[in-house]
Amino acid sequence: MAAAATMAAAARELVLRAGASDMEEEEGPLEGGPGLQEPLQLGELDITSDEFILDEVDVHIQANLEDELVKEALKTGVDLRHYSKQVELELQQIEQKSIRDYIQESENIASLHNQITACDAVLERMEQMLGAFQSDLSSISSEIRTLQEQSGAMNIRLRNRQAVRGKLGELVDGLVVPSALVTAILEAPVTEPRFLEQLQELDAKAAAVREQEARGTAACADVRGMLDRLRIKAVTKIREFILQKIYSFRKPMTNYQIPQTALLKYRFFYQFLLGNERATAKEIRDEYVETLSKIYLSYYRSYLGRLMKVQYEEVAEKDDLMGVEDTAKKGFFSKPSLRSRNTIFTLGTRGSVISPTELEAPILVPHTAQRGEQRYPFEALFRSQHYALLDNSCREYLFICEFFVVSGSAAHDLFHAVMGRTLSMTLKHLESYLTDCYDAIAVFLCIHIVLRFRNIAAKRDVPALDRYWEQVLTLLWPRFELILEMNVQSVRSTDPQRLGGLDTRPHYITRRYAEFSSALVSINQTIPNERTMQLLGQLQVEVENFVLRVAAEFSSRKEQLVFLINNYDMMLGVLMERAADDSKEVESFQQLLNARTQEFIEELLSPPFGGLVAFVKEAEALIERGQAERLRGEEARVTQLIRGFGSSWKSSVESLSQDVMRSFTNFKNGTSIIQGALTQLIQLYHRFHRVLSQPQLRALPARAELINIHHLMVELKKHKPNF
């Protein structure tokens, strides 16, 4: 319908334009009077008017021409006027038909109108109801907020009241003195558990009252009197109990460690005194210090005196030095010498005193040792004495820290108040003993005992003895160094001509050194000390010089070498038994032994095979310088050497072997020397063969008499000693 209306409007417009055009053509130009020349008033239809916008008309025309119906009408050549009328007629018919439809549906339209009106009324009532409901909800929300505010305020009041109740409850509980507390403090013995429990309660209440009094709480005055009376009663009972325990230490033959351990169960008693009655606490502490210091001093003085009675009667004296000769005579009033001076330079089983099992073994009981007629070296007595001191000191220090509630410097001072007199007495006794002590091994073992005991004290977390250990070492080290320097000086000043008859066997002074050095090296390996190694180095230099001085007393070089090898071999063997293979001493003597052994082998081969050795060296030198032609003049000499070796080598080797075995005390060393000599002899004869293979000597008839190298090796193996 819209398209038809549009097409009709366009058709009407085209008709109007066509009519206007026809009228202009039929009328033509009008001539005549002025009345005929006035313009025609067409109003809105006047296309000549300036108000008519041709552009807009063109746009409408163009839009109408784009319509499909208009295009179809123009294509078919329909008369637009007729077509316009037809369209108008159709429109009228449609309008009439629409009116009839409306008239026909008027009842339904009226009914729809009534229904819409009724719905509007219902919706209006619903709107009123919802408005009322919204108003009610607003009032309920306001009431809920009011209730929430009231609930929050009630919670705050409740919490405040509970906090106040808790504080007041704590205050009341801290101030109220229950009857059970009063009964226990007044009537119960201090050893009963309930007394200790109620004493802790009393201490807590006294602390609470003091705190509240500082805050100005008036209620404290109501219980202060009762608490003071209970405190005085508790202090009195505790004082009597602890002093009774301390006095029990003084009874003869009492093991004070038992009541001391019992006191630890009641260590809160002293804490209570410390917090409530410091004067009584100081009295108890002073009484404990006075009692225990006397007990320790008496015990250790008695034990030390009895312990020294089981020491070996024969001890080293100032003349028992390494370089002193055994034949030296002493004065008329001098003490008898040790049965064997070698014992003071030998470690033996004495080194076991620093082993872990022996170090912390039970202490020696002097009267038991006396009944069994047992004797001990000084280091064993020293170990027993100081292990007892270490054990008791550690126990005492830990007891002081735990019972008297002290630590750090305060614990250190209290410990020395108890043990100071005992430690001073022990140091004086040690200093007095060391004045006449010349047993370097004993002193060195004591040094290592102290070093180990110091480590044990550190592991037990007892630093109170650190100063004492340093004082003991300050006494021991200088004495050890003095004794060592005395031995060094004795070796340095020894005159070989005063030692009696000469002998190629190991000297007793070198044996002393070997035993002494190996002892100190084996002990020092556990806890190395550079100063000890320096002193041993000085002693080693003096011993080496001494061996060379004694060797110089022999007339022949062979005897000198035998003496040197025997002594070096003996010292090396003793050192290797105890010292490590890579120690400086072992290395040094091994080099000396090797050098002297090689020299001895050359000296040993020189008499029977000296001519052969000289010729081989000369010939090799000529060949090396390119003067091998000069060998042609040595044919007679070579022939003599070949025949001489072939006729005498067996007897020479036999004599050589017997000589070696007679010269050396160590069969193993003698075997090694014989083997080295035979090996060198084979190498020498092999070099002799190479010289004879030179062109200048190759045609020598005597070469046929040469002994085959392999045959010589087989024969020489028969002379190798077997042990």
Side-chain angles (χ1 to χ4, degrees):
M1 291 179 63
T6 303
M7 189 173 63
R12 283 197 298 272
E13 188 175 350
L14 292 175
V15 170
L16 290 175
R17 288 184 180 181
S21 177
D22 292 342
M23 289 178 64
E24 289 178 358
E25 292 178 357
E26 289 178 1
E27 291 178 2
L30 296 178
E31 298 177 358
L36 295 176
Q37 294 178 353
E38 291 181 1
L40 182 62
Q41 299 296 326
L42 296 178
E44 293 181 357
L45 297 177
D46 187 1
I47 59 175
T48 62
S49 174
D50 293 334
E51 297 178 2
F52 190 83
I53 301 173
L54 294 180
D55 291 338
E56 292 183 2
V57 175
D58 291 339
V59 171
H60 286 296
I61 292 174
Q62 186 64 30
N64 291 330
L65 290 177
E66 294 294 330
D67 189 87
E68 294 295 331
L69 293 177
V70 176
K71 288 181 179 180
E72 184 65 27
L74 292 175
K75 287 180 180 180
T76 55
V78 178
D79 187 359
L80 294 178
R81 286 179 247 179
H82 176 70
Y83 186 74
S84 174
K85 292 179 180 180
Q86 183 180 353
V87 169
E88 289 179 357
L89 180 61
E90 289 177 356
L91 289 173
Q92 291 175 1
Q93 291 176 355
I94 291 171
E95 183 180 358
Q96 293 297 325
K97 186 177 180 180
S98 175
I99 292 172
R100 287 195 300 271
D101 290 339
Y102 274 107
I103 293 172
Q104 187 177 356
E105 299 293 333
S106 59
E107 294 181 1
N108 294 334
I109 292 172
S111 175
L112 178 61
H113 175 70
N114 293 334
Q115 291 177 3
I116 291 172
T117 304
C119 286
D120 287 341
V122 172
L123 291 174
E124 185 178 358
R125 289 196 300 276
M126 288 292 294
E127 183 180 4
Q128 294 174 357
M129 291 173 62
L130 290 174
F133 184 66
Q134 183 179 8
S135 177
D136 293 341
L137 286 177
S138 299
S139 61
I140 291 172
S141 176
S142 176
E143 291 177 1
I144 290 173
R145 283 194 298 272
T146 302
L147 290 175
Q148 287 179 341
E149 293 174 357
Q150 293 176 356
S151 175
M154 291 175 67
N155 285 334
I156 293 173
R157 288 196 295 272
L158 177 62
R159 286 195 297 270
N160 292 338
R161 289 177 181 178
Q162 288 177 342
V164 172
R165 179 180 178 182
K167 295 292 184 181
L168 288 175
E170 291 177 2
L171 178 61
V172 172
D173 291 341
L175 297 178
V176 172
V177 181
S179 59
L181 188 151
V182 177
T183 303
I185 297 298
L186 296 179
E187 301 177 0
V190 295
T191 55
E192 288 190 4
R194 67 189 182 107
F195 179 83
L196 180 60
E197 294 175 1
Q198 296 303 326
L199 184 67
Q200 293 172 343
E201 181 70 18
L202 176 62
D203 185 58
K205 288 188 177 298
V209 169
R210 286 194 296 269
E211 182 182 355
Q212 293 301 327
E213 282 179 342
R215 296 179 179 178
T217 304
C220 295
D222 298 336
V223 296
R224 166 52 69 184
M226 180 176 289
L227 289 177
D228 287 343
R229 290 191 294 274
L230 290 174
R231 178 180 58 80
I232 294 171
K233 181 64 177 179
V235 167
T236 303
K237 295 174 72 173
I238 291 171
R239 176 182 176 277
E240 292 176 357
F241 172 75
I242 296 179
L243 288 178
Q244 183 182 3
K245 289 290 184 184
I246 294 174
Y247 293 152
S248 67
F249 297 167
R250 303 176 180 178
K251 295 179 181 178
M253 307 301 293
T254 299
N255 186 358
Y256 65 91
Q257 294 178 0
I258 296 176
Q260 193 180 51
T261 304
L263 276 178
L264 285 178
K265 295 169 56 179
Y266 307 103
R267 54 183 174 273
F268 182 75
F269 289 175
Y270 186 80
Q271 296 179 22
F272 180 81
L273 295 178
L274 205 59
N276 296 275
E277 193 62 43
R278 286 188 172 271
T280 304
K282 184 178 184 302
E283 178 191 2
I284 289 175
R285 187 182 65 182
D286 294 343
E287 193 66 33
Y288 176 85
V289 169
E290 181 67 19
T291 300
L292 265 293
S293 64
K294 290 181 179 179
I295 290 174
Y296 280 123
L297 180 62
S298 174
Y299 169 77
Y300 275 100
R301 182 184 287 121
S302 174
Y303 180 70
L304 200 53
R306 295 176 181 178
L307 200 61
M308 296 306 294
K309 293 180 181 180
V310 296
Q311 185 184 8
Y312 282 131
E313 294 180 358
E314 296 179 348
V315 295
E317 299 178 358
K318 62 180 180 179
D319 293 328
D320 296 318
L321 299 174
M322 190 177 297
V324 175
E325 58 272 14
D326 283 341
T327 57
K329 295 182 179 180
K330 295 189 176 181
F332 180 77
F333 296 101
S334 62
K335 296 179 181 179
S337 177
L338 293 178
R339 286 191 292 270
S340 174
R341 279 197 182 89
N342 289 335
T343 57
I344 66 172
F345 301 108
T346 305
L347 184 62
T349 59
R350 298 171 67 182
S352 62
V353 73
I354 59 174
S355 64
T357 54
E358 290 289 333
L359 192 66
E360 299 186 58
I363 63 174
L364 299 177
V365 182
H367 62 271
T368 304
Q370 285 177 338
R371 282 201 302 267
E373 296 183 353
Q374 295 177 340
R375 298 288 177 174
Y376 300 93
F378 175 72
E379 65 270 9
L381 308 182
F382 182 87
R383 195 264 343 154
S384 180
Q385 170 201 348
H386 280 81
Y387 184 65
L389 186 65
L390 169 69
D391 204 33
N392 284 284
S393 296
C394 289
R395 184 183 293 108
E396 186 63 33
Y397 180 80
L398 296 176
F399 173 82
I400 287 172
C401 292
E402 192 170 359
F403 185 80
F404 291 104
V405 199
V406 290
S407 61
S409 60
H412 189 274
D413 295 340
L414 187 56
F415 171 82
H416 279 277
V418 175
M419 298 293 297
R421 296 166 65 185
T422 302
L423 298 177
S424 298
M425 183 271 298
T426 307
L427 287 172
K428 289 180 180 178
H429 174 269
L430 179 62
E431 185 177 8
S432 175
Y433 179 85
L434 290 176
T435 304
D436 295 324
C437 178
Y438 296 93
D439 190 349
I441 293 179
V443 177
F444 197 53
L445 284 171
C446 291
I447 290 173
H448 278 263
I449 289 171
V450 171
L451 295 176
R452 284 160 174 77
F453 281 164
R454 185 170 63 180
N455 293 336
I456 292 174
K459 290 179 181 178
R460 295 182 183 180
D461 197 18
V462 178
L465 285 174
D466 290 348
R467 182 183 173 189
Y468 173 76
W469 299 131
E470 292 299 328
Q471 291 174 330
V472 173
L473 291 175
T474 304
L475 295 175
L476 291 173
W477 273 116
R479 189 63 188 178
F480 171 71
E481 293 176 2
L482 175 62
I483 299 172
L484 213 56
E485 289 172 357
M486 291 172 66
N487 280 282
V488 171
Q489 182 61 34
S490 70
V491 175
R492 183 185 297 122
S493 59
T494 299
D495 185 3
Q497 295 180 355
R498 297 177 56 190
L499 298 178
L502 296 176
D503 192 348
T504 57
R505 291 174 297 179
H507 200 275
Y508 60 84
I509 291 181
T510 58
R511 183 173 294 279
R512 290 175 187 172
Y513 164 76
E515 294 287 350
F516 182 72
S517 179
S518 64
L520 296 188
V521 169
S522 62
I523 296 171
N524 194 61
Q525 283 175 348
T526 56
I527 303 178
N529 180 269
E530 189 62 30
R531 176 60 179 160
T532 304
M533 301 310 297
Q534 292 176 1
L535 294 172
L536 283 176
Q538 296 177 12
L539 182 59
Q540 179 183 345
V541 170
E542 294 302 328
V543 170
E544 290 176 3
N545 293 335
F546 166 76
V547 172
L548 293 175
R549 290 201 304 271
V550 176
E553 296 296 320
F554 291 94
S555 57
S556 68
R557 181 56 180 169
K558 181 179 177 181
E559 289 180 332
Q560 294 177 0
L561 292 173
V562 170
F563 176 79
L564 292 174
I565 291 173
N566 277 329
N567 281 273
Y568 291 153
D569 178 63
M570 181 274 298
M571 290 188 285
L572 182 62
V574 174
L575 283 170
M576 291 183 67
E577 288 179 3
R578 296 186 179 274
D581 293 341
D582 58 348
S583 65
K584 293 180 180 179
E585 292 79 10
V586 171
E587 238 179 84
S588 174
F589 284 114
Q590 187 69 60
Q591 293 174 0
L592 290 172
L593 178 62
N594 293 339
R596 295 297 176 261
T597 300
Q598 183 61 34
E599 186 179 353
F600 176 76
I601 290 174
E602 293 176 359
E603 189 73 24
L604 189 66
L605 294 176
S606 181
F609 307 108
L612 184 62
V613 172
F615 173 75
V616 170
K617 290 182 178 179
E618 292 173 7
E620 287 178 343
L622 291 173
I623 294 172
E624 186 177 354
R625 294 197 300 267
Q627 300 174 359
E629 288 297 328
R630 296 176 59 181
L631 293 176
R632 295 186 184 276
E634 301 290 339
E635 293 178 355
R637 182 183 177 187
V638 172
T639 302
Q640 183 181 358
L641 289 175
I642 294 174
R643 291 173 181 171
F645 183 85
S647 62
S648 64
W649 74 268
K650 288 185 179 182
S651 59
S652 298
V653 168
E654 184 67 30
S655 174
L656 178 149
S657 300
Q658 293 176 2
D659 188 17
V660 169
M661 299 313 297
R662 284 194 304 267
S663 300
F664 298 102
T665 55
N666 186 351
F667 288 157
K668 184 179 179 181
N669 186 37
T671 302
S672 176
I673 292 174
I674 292 174
Q675 187 174 354
L678 296 179
T679 301
Q680 191 161 335
L681 178 60
I682 292 173
Q683 293 174 350
L684 175 64
Y685 202 66
H686 182 64
R687 290 160 61 193
F688 184 59
H689 270 254
R690 285 191 297 182
V691 171
L692 294 182
S693 65
Q694 294 295 319
Q696 293 80 6
L697 299 175
R698 194 175 298 168
L700 188 67
R703 289 187 75 251
E705 301 178 24
L706 282 173
I707 301 173
N708 185 273
I709 287 292
H710 297 288
H711 175 71
L712 180 63
M713 292 174 62
V714 172
E715 291 296 324
L716 289 178
K717 284 183 180 179
K718 297 178 182 179
H719 293 272
K720 180 180 178 182
N722 294 314
F723 300 99

